[in-house]
Structures are given as structure tokens and as C-alpha cells.
């Protein structure tokens, strides 16, 4: 995708999520689709004892608020491109710092954070650019935890079709995800399918990387 196509794609995604924001917090949608991935991320942050955490593409702020309330780190930042989603996030919690920013261009100095997390949004990103940005803003030893839709096998037909429409499907396989992490400079520490208490048609993956010290 060229820069102009990427900008148009980001604009379309932003418009869509601002439109969808009011329906997003529906209880069963959250429980079935989004919460299991968020549970995995909270567990990783707790295990690593992270203190300066950014939740990228935070949506309506459910995960960032949980991180703030359950883990009590020094600071939690919630970032998204959609004003509609951020408006709901601001109403949810005033102890998280909400910011409007794309995943590919974060408003932090080099090495400022010790954790970057993102759930159920990575498929929308320019993935190499976002991972390079996560690496830049992390301190050595900091972690990145990404949950993303991920087919169990690569889907070349789907990718070709969506690429033809100007927006290549970005749901990487586990192997492709590890490759993206390594190319961005991370050591892959953990990777597994998101554990779901009941069957859902969602097939997603968590990958955790460390910026080498
Ligand atoms: C399905 S929602 C997920 C929200 C939240 N992470 C969760 O788990 O509930 C996807 C979010 O990604 C955001 N988004 C998509 N592309 C983005 C990008 N390149 N940078 C920042 N946010 C983005 C959308 O605005 C939307 O709020």
C-alpha cells in the first residue's frame, strides 16, 4: 500500500469505528469476542510487573481501564484514531491518559514505556511500521503483547482478493507473526491461541515479544 492508500484506509477505519462506537460495549459482544484476549494481556502485564503502559487502538477503553484498576501501574495511556471510540473511553475513566494517535506514529519519546499492548486491532495496522514504532518507544527489556485475528493456515486467496480491493487482509498466521516480531527487533517470548471459555468463530493469537536489553 502506498502512503496515500494507507491514509485513506486509516480514514475509512476511523470513520467506521466512530460510527460503531455506541454498539461496541454491548455485554455479550464484549464477553464473547473481546474479553478473552484482554484477559491474556492483563495476565502478561501482571507477570512482567509493567509500570508505564500504552494500550494502542484502545477503542472504548475497556482494557486500559482494567489495567489501571486491576494492576495500578504508574501510568496507563490509551490511544486510538477514532474520536467516537475515544469519547466513550474518556467517560469510562479519568485516570487513564487518552490520546488520539495512530499505531504507526506514537506520541512518546524513544524508550519511554515498558509495555505496549494492543488487542483485536492489529489486523488494521501497517504492521511492520507499527511494530517498529512499538520497538522505538519501549525501553530495553520492555514487552510488547499483541492479540490479533489469525487463521490457523495462510489464506492466499483471501489475501489476493483483499489486496485487489486496495486493503490487504492483515490477519497473519502464527509463523508470519513471529517473523514480523523478529524483523522489528523483538525476541518472541510467548505465543499461543487466545484461550476462550466457550466456542466462538473467532480464531486469535497472542504474541509476546521482549526488546532485548
Ligand atoms: C475492534 S476495535 C478494538 C478495541 C480494543 N482494543 C478492544 O480490544 O476492545 C479496533 C480499534 O482499532 C482502532 N484502530 C484501527 N486502526 C488503527 C490504527 N492504525 N491506529 C490506532 N487505532 C486504530 C479503531 O479505531 C478501533 O477503535
Amino acid at each position: 500500500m502506498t502512503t496515500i492508500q494507507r491514509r485513506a484506509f486509516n480514514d475509512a477505519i476511523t470513520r467506521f469505528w466512530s460510527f460503531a462506537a455506541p454498539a461496541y460495549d454491548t455485554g455479550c459482544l464484549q464477553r464473547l469476542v473481546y474479553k478473552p484476549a484482554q484477559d491474556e494481556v492483563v495476565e502478561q502485564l501482571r507477570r512482567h510487573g509493567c509500570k508505564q503502559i500504552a494500550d494502542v487502538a484502545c477503542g472504548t477503553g475497556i482494557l486500559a481501564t482494567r489495567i489501571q484498576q486491576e494492576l495500578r501501574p504508574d501510568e496507563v495511556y490509551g490511544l486510538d484514531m477514532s474520536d467516537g471510540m475515544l469519547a466513550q473511553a474518556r467517560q469510562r475513566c479519568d485516570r487513564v491518559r487518552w490520546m488520539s494517535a495512530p499505531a504507526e506514529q506514537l506520541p512518546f519519546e524513544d524508550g519511554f514505556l515498558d509495555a505496549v499492548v494492543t488487542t483485536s486491532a492489529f489486523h488494521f495496522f501497517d504492521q511492520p511500521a507499527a511494530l517498529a514504532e512499538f520497538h522505538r518507544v519501549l525501553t530495553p527489556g520492555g514487552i510488547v503483547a499483541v492479540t490479533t485475528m489469525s487463521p490457523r493456515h495462510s489464506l492466499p486467496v483471501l489475501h489476493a482478493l483483499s489486496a485487489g480491493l486496495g486493503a490487504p487482509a492483515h490477519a497473519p498466521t502464527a509463523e508470519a507473526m513471529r517473523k514480523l516480531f523478529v524483523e522489528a527487533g523483538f525476541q518472541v517470548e510467548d505465543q499461543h491461541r487466545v484461550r476462550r471459555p466457550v466456542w466462538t468463530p473467532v480464531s486469535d493469537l497472542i504474541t509476546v515479544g521482549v526488546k532485548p536489553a
Side-chain angles (χ1 to χ4, degrees):
M1 244 196 260
T2 64
T3 309
I4 292 171
Q5 285 171 325
R6 162 60 49 189
R7 204 168 296 140
F9 181 62
N10 279 4
D11 286 348
I13 295 294
T14 304
R15 273 197 303 280
F16 170 77
W17 283 108
S18 288
F19 169 76
Y24 191 76
D25 292 344
T26 312
C28 66
L29 176 70
Q30 283 299 322
R31 263 194 312 282
L32 286 177
V33 179
Y34 297 111
K35 185 172 179 296
Q38 296 170 358
D39 289 345
E40 299 262 5
V41 165
V42 170
E43 190 185 312
Q44 290 289 341
L45 292 171
R46 182 177 283 118
R47 182 177 315 151
H48 287 87
C50 302
K51 294 292 177 203
Q52 293 278 350
I53 302 164
D55 176 17
V56 176
C58 63
T60 60
I62 294 173
L63 174 61
T65 300
R66 274 188 68 186
I67 294 169
Q68 201 283 323
Q69 293 176 346
E70 293 178 25
L71 305 181
R72 301 271 171 199
D74 293 345
E75 206 69 71
V76 184
Y77 302 86
L79 305 102
D80 203 281
M81 284 192 325
S82 158
D83 291 338
M85 297 297 254
L86 278 176
Q88 282 180 223
R90 288 197 176 94
Q91 284 175 8
R92 187 182 304 282
C93 178
D94 60 7
R95 304 198 58 185
V96 171
R97 296 207 187 187
W98 305 110
M99 298 169 152
S100 178
E104 300 81 2
Q105 211 173 343
L106 298 175
F108 302 112
E109 306 267 309
D110 296 1
F112 182 70
L113 300 166
D114 63 4
V116 176
V117 302
T118 183
T119 55
S120 311
F122 191 69
H123 43 279
F124 295 124
F125 298 171
D126 176 338
Q127 294 166 354
L131 283 171
E133 190 65 347
F134 299 170
H135 189 273
R136 180 187 70 76
V137 300
L138 279 172
T139 190
I143 67 152
V144 57
V146 178
T147 77
T148 186
M149 287 198 300
S150 168
R152 287 174 192 272
H153 307 287
S154 68
L155 302 170
V157 176
L158 174 67
H159 194 276
L161 278 176
S162 61
L165 295 171
H170 284 296
T173 60
E175 189 188 354
M177 202 60 186
R178 283 196 300 276
K179 187 163 179 281
L180 279 166
F181 267 50
V182 169
E183 283 171 359
F186 291 109
Q187 286 169 352
V188 176
E189 190 192 75
D190 190 5
Q191 185 182 59
H192 56 266
R193 295 268 145 203
V194 169
R195 301 176 192 100
R196 295 183 169 270
V198 289
W199 184 87
T200 58
V202 180
S203 178
D204 51 356
L205 184 76
I206 180 166
T207 308
V208 181
V210 179
K211 177 171 174 170

